[in-house]
Amino acid sequence: MRTPLNERNFEYLSEDPYLTARMAVGYIKGVQDQGVAASVKHYAGNNQEIKRAKVNVEMSERALREIYLPAFKAAITQGGALTIVGASNKFRGQYSTHNQYLINDILKGKWVLKVW
């Protein structure tokens, strides 16, 4: 929710990473307590609709860690979300859905293994 060009702002809980994380964890736990798998989307760096499948997001590590990842991390490690949907965009030259850094190093390597 960091740009007015993003047509999906209505889907985001907040622009504040801490608030979004807290709200997401509660929502996920509530949904999954009903026997339904919560799906967190769009991991990560998805903030524009136009040419979203072609855009290559280049952001600093600090912006990634402080703004874009906290809610995803909380959703997985604290909320225990059972599914996650990748973003359509590229992140640092690789599509997000098979990005070595986002998927293997962070999501699977640091977050998911700690949950399971």
Side-chain angles (χ1 to χ4, degrees), residues 27-101:
Y27 183 86
I28 291 163
K29 287 182 175 184
V31 167
Q32 292 187 167
D33 280 349
Q34 302 302 308
V36 177
S39 184
V40 180
K41 61 181 195 176
H42 289 95
Y43 179 74
N46 177 54
N47 64 1
Q48 79 174 49
E49 284 295 301
I50 297 173
K51 298 183 182 178
R52 68 179 173 160
K54 295 183 181 190
V55 69
N56 182 31
V57 175
E58 295 285 346
M59 75 173 69
S60 70
E61 190 66 18
R62 182 176 180 186
L64 179 67
R65 297 289 179 162
E66 292 181 6
I67 298 169
Y68 289 89
L69 291 185
F72 288 109
K73 181 179 182 180
I76 300 300
T77 63
Q78 297 169 30
L82 296 174
T83 67
I84 190 162
V85 176
S88 302
N89 55 278
K90 289 181 183 177
F91 180 81
R92 298 180 183 164
Q94 263 188 320
Y95 280 101
S96 295
T97 53
H98 63 92
N99 185 284
Q100 173 66 37
Y101 185 59

